[in-house]
Amino acid sequence: MSVLPEAEQLCARLLAELKPLVGPNSAMIGLYTGGVWLAERLHAGLALTEPLGTMDIAFYRDDFHKQGLARDPKRTQIPFPVEGRDLLLVDDVLYTGRTVRAAMNELFDYGRPARISLVVLADRGGRELPICAQHCGAKVEVPADTRLRLRRGDDGKLKLELERAE
Amino acid sequence: MQSNPQLNANGELRHLLSIEGLPRDVLGSILDTAASFVGVTEREVKKVPILRGKSVFNLFFEPSTRTRTTFEIAAKRLSADVINLNIAVSSQTKGESLLDTVANLSAMQADLFVVRHGSSGAPYLIAQHVKPHEHVINAGDGRHAHPTQGLLDLYTIRHYKQDFSRLSVAIVGDVLHSRVARSLIHGLTTLGTPEVRVIGPQTLLPTGVESLGVRVFHDMREGLRGVDVVVMLRLQSERMRGALLPSAQEFFKHYGLTAEKLALAKPDAIVMHPGPMNRGVEIDSSVADGPHSVILPQVTFGIAVRMAVMSMVAGN
Amino acid sequence: MKILIRNGRVIDPASGRDAIGEVAIADGRICEALPGKPERVIDAKGLVVAPGLIDLSARLREPGFEYKATLESEMDAAVAGGVTSLACPPDTDPPLDEPGLVDMLRRRAKVLTRARVYPVGALTVQLAGERLTEMAELAEAGCVAFSQANAPLSDSQVLWRALQYAATFGFPVWLRAEDHWLARGGVAHDGDVATRLGLPGIPAFAETIALGTLLELVRATGTRVHLCRLSSAGAVEMIREAKAEGLPVSCDVGVHYVHLSDMDLGYYDSHCRLTPPLRSQRDRDALSGGLADGTIDCLCSDHTPVDEDQKQLPFAEAEPGATGLELLLPLTLKWGAQRELPLAETLRRITSEPARILGVQSGRFAPGAPADVVIFDPQAPFKVAAATLRSQGKNTPFLGYELEGRVRFTLVAGNPVFEQA
């Protein structure tokens, strides 16, 4: 198993990549939970005009009928109009692409953005839908029966971790 | 002896029949999920696709416009298809039996039954006979339970007061016939409310009501002293005919909520009512429309709570 | 036919006999010794040989309710349960208020040659509680007592007159004590369980208030009254005092009521919808104790076949009643075992005591007594299941339960009417 990259380093790299690309029409939305942590760091570093949006895709998942409703879904809060925006959609790990599909469906119920760019810390491959990240910290290879997660320490430091999938 | 029919083998909510018997964490989960749905009800596109392609049958054996409408709105906001069946049942007519009605609807690919029935226990009978993928939500059975109302009442209290462990709640009026009161009492005691009071004349309080975990008051002024939440129950006109009460006027004088009586509760007390209100019978207009009343927000929360319950059962 | 039953544990509660021995039967009667060789020998090794059971209340559903059950099916059920004599309440359709109906019922039952049927006649015409029936005519047609079954008799003046009239002829009156107004609309015992389940309640004082009235009327008229289906601790206490006072009263309790309470309603199990209602555990314990100390004279099944359609309804809409003929023996044995009573004492409650109240010669093994016998295995287990019940009524709260006590042979008037290996 290859060693996981340092999340903090990837975060800094993304920040540098995004800085020249954001403007007054840009806004950011993080996906719970790892995506929100990452988005908070990026949002702070990019000095965007609009506050950070947070999104829980629980009500838009495509596996509701197998898995049921997630315990304690969080509340999606998008404190700016979506219409016509250049949106940065932020998640920690890109895998099958289903989470992003659900996020886009939910987003379009709020309005019609001008464009959506996907920002992820790690891309582990294994895509099941035609989705790709415009900005990616690193490509990572991990075994199929594991889950790649972002963790935030008490000191606020981000770290990538591998868990056995249930 | 049967096991709790509401929960499946994993302890997840399969049906919602009663608040009684729901573990505390499931109760909390429903309230938290409802909070997320409040967000949906506040945005432009008030729909999410969770129950797309699912059929929700509103099976109302007792007439009701309000409850049925809120369930219909909630189901539609979850993108479900809704079919309303109002089945007026007269005790003299022997029509199709309850189970036959359900079996026929089941054959029409129903996924979720929302049932209101005049006989306590009817939803349990239905739940024992539905297919594994079908779910039952009790919208009120006899005088036994009205769990979604109880849940929205709990949600409302949590919204305004946050911490149940310090609250004193008074429920006033016809507790004997009230499924709303029973559901709320179970919910409050499960969530650790230290002081739950029922206030009413002896004729309107059920035998052994203390065994539900409440303190009984016949004097409304005594009962309202220092409470944080006042819940007024609806008084039906039949009660005057059943030798339970002499008149609406006498009832209002002793058990109606007026500003003067409300002043005995805490200064930031909230006033709730499951509706529809009988102004001048159980509650004075000045209180119903006044600053303590949260009666209208209760209605909004009701939609989110029902969305939460339907989503949770349909996924298990 | 000359029959010899050997090697069994012969228990005769009336005489106190409880020993391995023989029972000899000739010409339909018990005899001291068999005159000559037996035509049939029944080996009762490992089994109990007792007088056939006597059930003071079993509904046969004829006339009128043949869609629920028939005389054939219920008589089969009776002898399969070891019941050799039963009294049937008058609430048939039409009620047993005319000698012709009584006569027809007795003839039908006799032709079937299974258990002996003792009809209880209606106390008032149509059981409506207004006019007296021709009790003397009904007695001549074969009625052993007069009753209102579960129909109310609210007019206390009519009740008084009915008791006086019955006393004139020495007829016993069997009544269930319940104040019609206090019970109105109720479907369960008025207590914590009914409150939780949201079911309208029948308070225990609906029974004790009516019982008080009845006992006063007994004092005034001297009528022999048998109180049916006691349900509350308060009633047991009142009967205890009435007996101590010397009033001519007796009483019974349904076999379900010494085992079950309102806690058994669970999630609205309509098999527990009974009349009178199952009351609190305290009431149940008082009934069980009252039966043990003799305050309550006997147990009966109160057999009431109800078809499943009438039970698969919300609790308050379901028809009350439980099937019981085939469960009377095992449930009685279970009660006796719980109270740690000797078997003879347990069996007394369903043999000699009901015989005494009914005024019949069966229920004992005295020479010359009718040869009504039950031979059973007290330890044999069986699972209560709809498929194995012979009654058309499959409605019992004990469905799925494992009970002990299987009948192997039942004889009525010396004829084997039921046999099972």
Side-chain angles (χ1 to χ4, degrees):
Chain A
M1 192 183 74
S2 52
V3 175
L4 295 172
E6 284 298 321
E8 289 292 335
Q9 283 183 4
L10 299 179
C11 185
R13 187 184 309 162
L14 282 172
L15 214 45
E17 196 173 304
L18 291 169
K19 228 183 170 85
L21 301 173
V22 298
N25 199 36
S26 303
M28 181 176 281
I29 296 175
L31 299 182
Y32 278 107
T33 312
V36 170
W37 291 334
L38 177 60
E40 280 168 351
R41 298 286 296 278
L42 294 176
H43 187 271
L46 291 172
L48 294 164
T49 43
E50 296 291 359
L52 178 64
T54 57
M55 183 181 281
D56 188 319
I57 53 133
F59 303 147
Y60 289 80
R61 297 177 65 101
D62 64 5
D63 59 357
F64 172 74
H65 302 299
K66 262 188 279 169
Q67 306 284 8
L69 199 60
R71 280 264 164 136
D72 309 327
K74 315 274 184 305
R75 201 164 145 162
T76 294
Q77 311 233 357
I78 304 187
F80 50 81
V82 163
E83 201 67 27
R85 287 279 179 190
D86 293 330
L87 283 181
L88 292 165
L89 190 61
V90 180
D91 203 4
D92 51 353
V93 177
L94 178 57
Y95 182 21
T96 60
R98 293 180 190 274
T99 301
V100 177
R101 194 273 326 158
M104 286 203 285
N105 276 35
E106 183 165 355
L107 211 42
F108 274 85
D109 276 349
Y110 280 85
R112 184 182 177 280
R115 87 170 31 86
I116 302 176
S117 299
L118 179 62
V119 180
V120 299
L121 201 65
D123 177 347
R124 65 174 281 188
R127 213 79 74 241
E128 292 171 1
L129 298 174
I131 304 251
C132 63
Q134 281 65 45
H135 305 278
C136 173
K139 285 194 162 40
V140 179
E141 243 185 64
V142 294
D145 60 347
T146 57
R147 218 193 227 116
L148 183 60
R149 289 205 120 105
L150 187 65
R151 291 260 176 256
R152 184 167 71 182
D154 297 323
D155 54 357
K157 290 258 183 284
L158 299 174
K159 192 171 155 57
L160 279 168
E161 268 177 18
L162 213 55
E163 264 171 26
R164 171 128 289 133
E166 280 118 56
Chain B
M1 259 293 238
Q2 310 133 297
S3 55
N4 189 342
Q6 304 194 81
L7 304 176
N8 64 15
N10 299 329
E12 294 160 335
L13 207 60
R14 188 189 155 197
H15 305 294
L16 179 66
L17 305 175
S18 167
I19 292 188
E20 189 189 6
L22 285 184
R24 189 177 173 146
D25 63 309
V26 171
L27 209 48
S29 212
I30 298 175
L31 297 180
D32 290 337
T33 306
S36 316
F37 279 112
V38 170
V40 174
T41 63
E42 284 168 356
R43 52 174 221 209
E44 180 87 24
V45 174
K46 299 185 198 318
K47 254 192 212 260
V48 294
I50 293 190
L51 294 188
R52 204 161 71 90
K54 298 290 181 189
S55 299
V56 172
F57 282 71
N58 277 335
L59 211 51
F60 276 60
F61 291 87
E62 264 184 354
S64 154
T65 319
R66 294 164 47 106
T67 305
R68 213 202 65 217
T69 309
T70 45
F71 270 105
E72 184 170 349
I73 293 174
K76 286 183 168 160
R77 291 203 178 150
L78 296 172
S79 305
D81 295 320
V82 179
I83 295 93
N84 288 311
L85 292 123
N86 288 329
I87 302 166
V89 171
S90 132
S91 54
Q92 280 78 37
T93 61
K94 278 211 163 237
E96 195 175 52
S97 78
L98 177 59
L99 291 182
D100 279 340
T101 303
V102 173
N104 283 330
L105 295 175
S106 196
M108 293 187 223
Q109 314 298 321
D111 296 289
L112 212 138
F113 293 103
V114 175
V115 183
R116 171 171 281 198
H117 198 283
S119 290
S120 299
Y124 285 80
L125 182 63
I126 296 176
Q128 278 162 27
H129 288 87
V130 292
K131 305 206 186 82
H133 68 276
E134 292 171 343
H135 308 274
V136 180
I137 294 183
N138 182 5
D141 64 326
R143 45 173 101 154
H144 169 242
H146 193 353
T148 56
Q149 178 71 44
L151 287 165
L152 80 87
D153 288 343
L154 292 171
Y155 186 92
T156 306
I157 295 173
R158 194 171 88 158
H159 179 86
Y160 288 99
K161 298 289 173 187
Q162 290 83 45
D163 185 5
F164 286 93
S165 70
R166 288 193 219 273
L167 288 185
S168 148
V169 178
I171 301 172
V172 186
D174 185 1
V175 179
L176 175 60
H177 297 94
S178 174
R179 50 194 175 211
V180 168
R182 281 173 179 74
S183 285
L184 182 55
I185 290 169
H186 288 305
L188 288 169
T189 51
T190 305
L191 293 177
T193 311
E195 175 92 346
V196 181
R197 302 177 183 180
V198 291
I199 305 175
Q202 213 182 46
T203 47
L204 295 182
L205 296 176
T207 306
V209 70
E210 297 88 346
S211 68
L212 297 177
V214 300
R215 266 180 76 192
V216 173
F217 288 80
H218 296 307
D219 182 332
M220 188 170 179
R221 287 185 171 75
E222 270 312 300
L224 287 182
R225 216 171 281 281
V227 302
D228 300 283
V229 180
V230 182
V231 181
M232 299 306 298
L233 298 175
R234 181 178 152 70
L235 184 73
Q236 291 174 293
S237 53
E238 294 94 273
R239 308 307 167 219
M240 262 58 84
R241 277 175 261 134
L244 292 161
L245 288 176
S247 69
Q249 292 86 328
E250 187 151 289
F251 181 81
F252 182 69
K253 185 148 178 247
H254 293 274
Y255 297 99
L257 189 62
T258 57
E260 178 252 321
K261 290 198 195 103
L262 184 57
L264 295 159
K266 287 225 182 73
D268 61 349
I270 54 172
V271 172
M272 294 168 50
H273 192 305
M277 287 188 281
N278 284 321
R279 290 163 182 267
V281 176
E282 65 262 359
I283 190 167
D284 201 48
S285 276
S286 67
V287 176
D289 304 325
H292 296 269
S293 163
V294 301
I295 294 172
L296 287 178
Q298 275 178 277
V299 178
T300 315
F301 298 146
I303 297 177
V305 163
R306 283 160 180 136
M307 288 173 78
V309 168
M310 284 196 260
S311 311
M312 286 172 77
V313 299
N316 289 326
Chain C
M1 184 153 60
K2 293 199 276 255
I3 300 183
L4 187 65
I5 305 171
R6 303 162 69 174
N7 301 323
R9 177 181 170 190
V10 180
I11 300 184
D12 178 27
S15 66
R17 175 178 174 195
D18 180 353
I20 306 285
E22 290 182 348
V23 173
I25 295 171
D27 292 329
R29 297 199 171 267
I30 307 283
C31 45
E32 282 274 15
L34 209 54
K37 288 191 63 146
E39 282 148 277
R40 178 160 181 194
V41 174
I42 296 177
D43 182 7
K45 183 144 189 259
L47 304 175
V48 169
V49 182
L53 308 185
I54 299 180
D55 192 344
L56 293 188
S57 178
R59 284 180 172 77
L60 304 172
R61 294 311 201 184
E62 276 193 32
F65 296 108
E66 288 87 348
Y67 66 93
K68 292 183 205 276
T70 60
L71 214 52
E72 279 92 348
S73 61
E74 302 321 292
M75 299 285 263
D76 276 347
V79 296
V83 172
T84 54
S85 301
L86 58 88
C88 54
D91 55 0
T92 46
D93 181 17
L96 296 178
D97 62 0
E98 297 244 308
L101 294 166
V102 176
D103 197 49
M104 192 165 69
L105 178 60
R106 288 194 69 215
R107 280 171 197 277
R108 279 267 290 142
K110 209 161 172 166
V111 158
L112 291 171
T113 58
R114 299 218 230 312
R116 300 173 197 268
V117 173
Y118 295 96
V120 177
L123 187 66
T124 60
V125 173
Q126 293 293 295
L127 292 173
E130 289 162 10
R131 291 165 35 222
L132 305 183
T133 49
E134 292 178 313
M135 291 185 220
E137 294 291 303
L138 286 167
E140 245 177 84
C143 286
V144 295
F146 297 93
S147 165
Q148 282 287 110
N150 286 324
L153 211 187
S154 328
D155 188 330
S156 36
Q157 193 179 62
V158 172
L159 177 59
W160 180 24
R161 304 252 195 279
L163 290 175
Q164 285 177 311
Y165 193 75
T168 305
F169 298 91
F171 297 144
V173 178
W174 293 12
L175 291 169
R176 187 170 72 82
E178 186 174 81
D179 182 294
H180 171 59
W181 309 114
L182 293 171
R184 186 171 44 169
V187 302
H189 168 62
D190 191 40
D192 293 355
V193 172
T195 289
R196 242 192 333 104
L197 294 179
L199 293 171
I202 302 175
F205 54 74
E207 180 174 70
T208 51
I209 285 174
L211 186 55
T213 301
L214 274 170
L215 292 174
E216 274 286 27
L217 289 174
V218 168
R219 264 180 214 110
T221 61
T223 316
R224 202 157 38 105
V225 170
H226 175 76
L227 281 325
C228 307
R229 304 329 94 69
L230 250 52
S231 73
S232 69
V236 177
E237 204 33 56
M238 289 172 76
I239 299 282
R240 198 171 273 131
E241 283 166 16
K243 283 187 168 181
E245 191 190 318
L247 293 182
V249 294
S250 59
C251 61
D252 68 54
V253 64
V255 75
H256 294 89
Y257 299 80
V258 296
H259 290 296
L260 304 172
S261 72
D262 58 1
M263 297 288 289
D264 292 291
L265 262 56
Y267 294 105
Y268 302 94
D269 184 358
S270 57
H271 287 133
C272 288
R273 173 99 160 86
L274 302 176
T275 299
L278 292 168
R279 296 199 186 274
S280 71
Q281 291 182 309
R282 202 187 129 255
D283 292 305
R284 176 199 60 190
D285 295 342
L287 293 169
S288 178
L291 184 65
D293 72 24
T295 304
I296 302 179
D297 299 272
C298 60
L299 274 168
C300 67
S301 69
D302 209 19
H303 179 76
T304 303
V306 173
D307 71 24
E308 268 311 290
D309 283 348
Q310 296 307 311
K311 284 293 190 184
Q312 293 286 8
L313 291 170
F315 192 87
E317 297 171 32
E319 193 177 313
T323 195
L325 280 169
E326 294 160 270
L327 303 179
L328 179 62
L329 177 64
L331 289 175
T332 301
L333 294 177
K334 188 172 147 94
W335 167 79
Q338 275 164 6
R339 299 223 66 117
E340 295 177 355
L341 294 174
L343 193 47
E345 273 310 300
T346 303
L347 291 174
R348 180 194 295 279
R349 271 81 180 163
I350 46 177
T351 54
S352 51
E353 285 300 283
R356 176 175 61 81
I357 290 165
L358 207 44
V360 299
Q361 290 300 304
S362 320
R364 59 185 56 229
F365 278 156
D372 296 345
V373 181
V374 61
I375 303 173
F376 65 91
D377 182 343
Q379 251 101 50
F382 74 97
K383 197 161 179 165
V384 181
T388 48
L389 289 172
R390 281 167 182 72
S391 165
Q392 281 188 27
K394 312 296 184 189
N395 48 309
T396 166
F398 293 100
L399 263 179
Y401 274 57
E402 284 252 335
L403 296 176
E404 283 182 352
R406 298 198 77 140
V407 174
R408 299 278 181 234
F409 294 90
T410 306
L411 293 91
V412 174
N415 292 316
V417 293
F418 175 78
E419 288 184 52
Q420 185 172 77

